[in-house]
Amino acid sequence: MNRSGQFQKRTNTNIKQQAMKNLIVLISFSLLIISCQKDSLLKSSEIPDWLKDRIAQDEEIIRTNPQSGLQSGAWFRYKNAEGYYFGYINNLSSAFQPLYDFNGDQIIFGGNNEDFDEDSYRAFYNSLCCKVVVWKGEAYIDLGQPGN
């Protein structure tokens, strides 16, 4: 009913226009979600062979031993001025995420693992950006670790 107390007619044209608007909104929203998900995982060609092997090993362990806790882990790729780095996070066990260079060599902060230098680690970790999911277990929950 309009302001003058008369009923408005809904024409087929009005109904079609509203349906088209709803369809456009739905398609736009769907494309937005799909494009965000597409960017969150790397292509296989962007993952170094050593990491593909490590992920395959982890998946086999998860398959044969579901209680291993590896399904709560995830591998990420980061970037800084010097190149790409990879890190593994497991919400059940990771205090400090181990970081690896593109060749698979672990970045050591301090002279060796016994002389871990937390300040060096944090400075390097804070230089990283552009966090991208390489692989994640089905039970992994992103707790908002830095590097985004």
Side-chain angles (χ1 to χ4, degrees), residues 117-141:
D117 182 0
E118 186 177 337
D119 292 335
S120 295
Y121 174 86
R122 290 196 185 283
F124 184 82
Y125 193 74
N126 289 335
S127 76
L128 300 174
C129 73
C130 313
K131 177 176 155 183
V132 178
V133 176
V134 175
W135 174 90
K136 64 181 178 177
E138 63 184 43
Y140 176 77
I141 299 171

mmCIF file of all heavy atoms in Angstrom, residues 117-141:
data_model
loop_
_atom_site.group_PDB
_atom_site.id
_atom_site.type_symbol
_atom_site.label_atom_id
_atom_site.label_comp_id
_atom_site.label_asym_id
_atom_site.label_seq_id
_atom_site.Cartn_x
_atom_site.Cartn_y
_atom_site.Cartn_z
ATOM 1 N N ASP A 117 68.546 -17.376 20.004
ATOM 2 C CA ASP A 117 68.467 -15.946 20.276
ATOM 3 C C ASP A 117 67.062 -15.460 19.908
ATOM 4 O O ASP A 117 66.766 -15.228 18.741
ATOM 5 C CB ASP A 117 69.540 -15.202 19.485
ATOM 6 C CG ASP A 117 69.543 -13.709 19.749
ATOM 7 O OD1 ASP A 117 68.716 -13.222 20.552
ATOM 8 O OD2 ASP A 117 70.376 -13.018 19.138
ATOM 9 N N GLU A 118 66.239 -15.321 20.916
ATOM 10 C CA GLU A 118 64.847 -14.950 20.687
ATOM 11 C C GLU A 118 64.708 -13.582 20.022
ATOM 12 O O GLU A 118 63.844 -13.381 19.166
ATOM 13 C CB GLU A 118 64.078 -14.981 22.004
ATOM 14 C CG GLU A 118 62.599 -14.736 21.830
ATOM 15 C CD GLU A 118 61.815 -14.847 23.127
ATOM 16 O OE1 GLU A 118 62.272 -15.503 24.075
ATOM 17 O OE2 GLU A 118 60.713 -14.263 23.173
ATOM 18 N N ASP A 119 65.561 -12.629 20.378
ATOM 19 C CA ASP A 119 65.476 -11.294 19.780
ATOM 20 C C ASP A 119 65.758 -11.338 18.281
ATOM 21 O O ASP A 119 65.066 -10.682 17.492
ATOM 22 C CB ASP A 119 66.447 -10.335 20.474
ATOM 23 C CG ASP A 119 66.029 -10.034 21.911
ATOM 24 O OD1 ASP A 119 64.823 -10.145 22.217
ATOM 25 O OD2 ASP A 119 66.914 -9.701 22.719
ATOM 26 N N SER A 120 66.773 -12.119 17.873
ATOM 27 C CA SER A 120 67.081 -12.259 16.444
ATOM 28 C C SER A 120 65.921 -12.920 15.710
ATOM 29 O O SER A 120 65.553 -12.522 14.602
ATOM 30 C CB SER A 120 68.347 -13.087 16.232
ATOM 31 O OG SER A 120 69.456 -12.434 16.757
ATOM 32 N N TYR A 121 65.360 -13.948 16.343
ATOM 33 C CA TYR A 121 64.216 -14.646 15.748
ATOM 34 C C TYR A 121 63.063 -13.671 15.527
ATOM 35 O O TYR A 121 62.500 -13.587 14.446
ATOM 36 C CB TYR A 121 63.778 -15.793 16.657
ATOM 37 C CG TYR A 121 62.507 -16.472 16.187
ATOM 38 C CD1 TYR A 121 62.551 -17.504 15.249
ATOM 39 C CD2 TYR A 121 61.258 -16.075 16.665
ATOM 40 C CE1 TYR A 121 61.396 -18.114 14.809
ATOM 41 C CE2 TYR A 121 60.097 -16.681 16.229
ATOM 42 C CZ TYR A 121 60.169 -17.702 15.306
ATOM 43 O OH TYR A 121 59.017 -18.297 14.864
ATOM 44 N N ARG A 122 62.720 -12.931 16.572
ATOM 45 C CA ARG A 122 61.576 -12.008 16.468
ATOM 46 C C ARG A 122 61.829 -10.911 15.434
ATOM 47 O O ARG A 122 60.924 -10.532 14.694
ATOM 48 C CB ARG A 122 61.250 -11.414 17.827
ATOM 49 C CG ARG A 122 60.654 -12.433 18.777
ATOM 50 C CD ARG A 122 59.974 -11.775 19.966
ATOM 51 N NE ARG A 122 59.509 -12.758 20.920
ATOM 52 C CZ ARG A 122 58.422 -13.503 20.773
ATOM 53 N NH1 ARG A 122 57.689 -13.371 19.701
ATOM 54 N NH2 ARG A 122 58.072 -14.381 21.696
ATOM 55 N N ALA A 123 63.045 -10.400 15.381
ATOM 56 C CA ALA A 123 63.369 -9.359 14.395
ATOM 57 C C ALA A 123 63.208 -9.907 12.973
ATOM 58 O O ALA A 123 62.620 -9.244 12.105
ATOM 59 C CB ALA A 123 64.784 -8.840 14.614
ATOM 60 N N PHE A 124 63.719 -11.116 12.747
ATOM 61 C CA PHE A 124 63.589 -11.716 11.414
ATOM 62 C C PHE A 124 62.127 -12.017 11.110
ATOM 63 O O PHE A 124 61.618 -11.690 10.037
ATOM 64 C CB PHE A 124 64.427 -13.000 11.328
ATOM 65 C CG PHE A 124 64.417 -13.614 9.963
ATOM 66 C CD1 PHE A 124 65.266 -13.135 8.980
ATOM 67 C CD2 PHE A 124 63.559 -14.655 9.658
ATOM 68 C CE1 PHE A 124 65.250 -13.691 7.705
ATOM 69 C CE2 PHE A 124 63.543 -15.216 8.393
ATOM 70 C CZ PHE A 124 64.386 -14.733 7.415
ATOM 71 N N TYR A 125 61.435 -12.625 12.053
ATOM 72 C CA TYR A 125 60.037 -12.993 11.858
ATOM 73 C C TYR A 125 59.186 -11.755 11.578
ATOM 74 O O TYR A 125 58.293 -11.783 10.730
ATOM 75 C CB TYR A 125 59.523 -13.743 13.090
ATOM 76 C CG TYR A 125 58.210 -14.434 12.886
ATOM 77 C CD1 TYR A 125 58.128 -15.598 12.123
ATOM 78 C CD2 TYR A 125 57.044 -13.938 13.448
ATOM 79 C CE1 TYR A 125 56.918 -16.247 11.937
ATOM 80 C CE2 TYR A 125 55.831 -14.581 13.264
ATOM 81 C CZ TYR A 125 55.769 -15.731 12.504
ATOM 82 O OH TYR A 125 54.573 -16.366 12.314
ATOM 83 N N ASN A 126 59.462 -10.658 12.250
ATOM 84 C CA ASN A 126 58.717 -9.421 12.035
ATOM 85 C C ASN A 126 59.015 -8.777 10.686
ATOM 86 O O ASN A 126 58.265 -7.920 10.229
ATOM 87 C CB ASN A 126 58.971 -8.437 13.171
ATOM 88 C CG ASN A 126 58.303 -8.875 14.460
ATOM 89 O OD1 ASN A 126 57.317 -9.605 14.450
ATOM 90 N ND2 ASN A 126 58.859 -8.459 15.586
ATOM 91 N N SER A 127 60.130 -9.181 10.038
ATOM 92 C CA SER A 127 60.446 -8.652 8.706
ATOM 93 C C SER A 127 59.652 -9.370 7.620
ATOM 94 O O SER A 127 59.650 -8.926 6.468
ATOM 95 C CB SER A 127 61.948 -8.791 8.410
ATOM 96 O OG SER A 127 62.288 -10.136 8.081
ATOM 97 N N LEU A 128 58.999 -10.458 7.973
ATOM 98 C CA LEU A 128 58.274 -11.255 6.984
ATOM 99 C C LEU A 128 56.881 -10.690 6.739
ATOM 100 O O LEU A 128 56.250 -10.140 7.631
ATOM 101 C CB LEU A 128 58.158 -12.700 7.475
ATOM 102 C CG LEU A 128 59.474 -13.428 7.723
ATOM 103 C CD1 LEU A 128 59.207 -14.794 8.338
ATOM 104 C CD2 LEU A 128 60.289 -13.560 6.456
ATOM 105 N N CYS A 129 56.440 -10.842 5.517
ATOM 106 C CA CYS A 129 55.082 -10.415 5.163
ATOM 107 C C CYS A 129 54.480 -11.444 4.216
ATOM 108 O O CYS A 129 55.099 -12.455 3.899
ATOM 109 C CB CYS A 129 55.088 -9.039 4.508
ATOM 110 S SG CYS A 129 55.724 -9.038 2.814
ATOM 111 N N CYS A 130 53.315 -11.131 3.769
ATOM 112 C CA CYS A 130 52.693 -11.853 2.664
ATOM 113 C C CYS A 130 52.507 -13.334 2.958
ATOM 114 O O CYS A 130 52.799 -14.199 2.141
ATOM 115 C CB CYS A 130 53.498 -11.659 1.377
ATOM 116 S SG CYS A 130 53.957 -9.941 1.063
ATOM 117 N N LYS A 131 51.989 -13.637 4.130
ATOM 118 C CA LYS A 131 51.763 -15.021 4.564
ATOM 119 C C LYS A 131 50.745 -15.689 3.638
ATOM 120 O O LYS A 131 49.653 -15.175 3.419
ATOM 121 C CB LYS A 131 51.257 -15.003 6.002
ATOM 122 C CG LYS A 131 50.901 -16.331 6.586
ATOM 123 C CD LYS A 131 50.508 -16.123 8.053
ATOM 124 C CE LYS A 131 49.600 -17.159 8.579
ATOM 125 N NZ LYS A 131 49.187 -16.890 9.956
ATOM 126 N N VAL A 132 51.138 -16.839 3.085
ATOM 127 C CA VAL A 132 50.276 -17.602 2.191
ATOM 128 C C VAL A 132 50.274 -19.050 2.665
ATOM 129 O O VAL A 132 51.325 -19.608 2.965
ATOM 130 C CB VAL A 132 50.781 -17.532 0.729
ATOM 131 C CG1 VAL A 132 49.903 -18.367 -0.189
ATOM 132 C CG2 VAL A 132 50.847 -16.104 0.245
ATOM 133 N N VAL A 133 49.116 -19.654 2.706
ATOM 134 C CA VAL A 133 49.005 -21.056 3.103
ATOM 135 C C VAL A 133 49.584 -21.940 2.007
ATOM 136 O O VAL A 133 49.220 -21.814 0.841
ATOM 137 C CB VAL A 133 47.527 -21.451 3.347
ATOM 138 C CG1 VAL A 133 47.408 -22.934 3.653
ATOM 139 C CG2 VAL A 133 46.918 -20.623 4.442
ATOM 140 N N VAL A 134 50.493 -22.829 2.401
ATOM 141 C CA VAL A 134 51.008 -23.838 1.486
ATOM 142 C C VAL A 134 50.195 -25.116 1.666
ATOM 143 O O VAL A 134 49.736 -25.724 0.712
ATOM 144 C CB VAL A 134 52.506 -24.121 1.749
ATOM 145 C CG1 VAL A 134 53.006 -25.246 0.872
ATOM 146 C CG2 VAL A 134 53.333 -22.867 1.552
ATOM 147 N N TRP A 135 50.024 -25.521 2.912
ATOM 148 C CA TRP A 135 49.265 -26.720 3.262
ATOM 149 C C TRP A 135 48.782 -26.560 4.695
ATOM 150 O O TRP A 135 49.479 -25.977 5.516
ATOM 151 C CB TRP A 135 50.167 -27.961 3.161
ATOM 152 C CG TRP A 135 49.515 -29.221 3.636
ATOM 153 C CD1 TRP A 135 48.782 -30.088 2.886
ATOM 154 C CD2 TRP A 135 49.538 -29.755 4.964
ATOM 155 N NE1 TRP A 135 48.345 -31.130 3.672
ATOM 156 C CE2 TRP A 135 48.798 -30.955 4.957
ATOM 157 C CE3 TRP A 135 50.102 -29.342 6.169
ATOM 158 C CZ2 TRP A 135 48.620 -31.730 6.098
ATOM 159 C CZ3 TRP A 135 49.922 -30.110 7.304
ATOM 160 C CH2 TRP A 135 49.188 -31.297 7.253
ATOM 161 N N LYS A 136 47.611 -27.078 4.985
ATOM 162 C CA LYS A 136 47.155 -27.085 6.379
ATOM 163 C C LYS A 136 46.371 -28.357 6.647
ATOM 164 O O LYS A 136 45.624 -28.845 5.796
ATOM 165 C CB LYS A 136 46.350 -25.845 6.732
ATOM 166 C CG LYS A 136 45.048 -25.678 5.996
ATOM 167 C CD LYS A 136 44.367 -24.395 6.426
ATOM 168 C CE LYS A 136 43.080 -24.189 5.645
ATOM 169 N NZ LYS A 136 42.372 -23.014 6.083
ATOM 170 N N GLY A 137 46.566 -28.882 7.844
ATOM 171 C CA GLY A 137 45.821 -30.048 8.286
ATOM 172 C C GLY A 137 44.374 -29.675 8.539
ATOM 173 O O GLY A 137 44.050 -28.519 8.785
ATOM 174 N N GLU A 138 43.527 -30.683 8.516
ATOM 175 C CA GLU A 138 42.094 -30.403 8.644
ATOM 176 C C GLU A 138 41.706 -29.858 10.004
ATOM 177 O O GLU A 138 40.666 -29.226 10.146
ATOM 178 C CB GLU A 138 41.271 -31.634 8.304
ATOM 179 C CG GLU A 138 41.499 -32.818 9.221
ATOM 180 C CD GLU A 138 40.737 -34.048 8.787
ATOM 181 O OE1 GLU A 138 40.710 -34.350 7.592
ATOM 182 O OE2 GLU A 138 40.154 -34.696 9.668
ATOM 183 N N ALA A 139 42.533 -30.038 11.030
ATOM 184 C CA ALA A 139 42.223 -29.529 12.368
ATOM 185 C C ALA A 139 42.958 -28.223 12.682
ATOM 186 O O ALA A 139 42.837 -27.699 13.787
ATOM 187 C CB ALA A 139 42.563 -30.577 13.422
ATOM 188 N N TYR A 140 43.700 -27.688 11.709
ATOM 189 C CA TYR A 140 44.460 -26.448 11.965
ATOM 190 C C TYR A 140 43.491 -25.283 12.138
ATOM 191 O O TYR A 140 42.527 -25.126 11.391
ATOM 192 C CB TYR A 140 45.414 -26.146 10.811
ATOM 193 C CG TYR A 140 46.115 -24.831 11.008
ATOM 194 C CD1 TYR A 140 47.166 -24.718 11.902
ATOM 195 C CD2 TYR A 140 45.695 -23.686 10.341
ATOM 196 C CE1 TYR A 140 47.796 -23.519 12.113
ATOM 197 C CE2 TYR A 140 46.327 -22.481 10.553
ATOM 198 C CZ TYR A 140 47.368 -22.396 11.435
ATOM 199 O OH TYR A 140 47.979 -21.192 11.657
ATOM 200 N N ILE A 141 43.778 -24.458 13.138
ATOM 201 C CA ILE A 141 43.017 -23.224 13.383
ATOM 202 C C ILE A 141 44.011 -22.073 13.361
ATOM 203 O O ILE A 141 44.992 -22.083 14.092
ATOM 204 C CB ILE A 141 42.295 -23.267 14.746
ATOM 205 C CG1 ILE A 141 41.295 -24.430 14.773
ATOM 206 C CG2 ILE A 141 41.599 -21.953 15.030
ATOM 207 C CD1 ILE A 141 40.701 -24.692 16.135
#
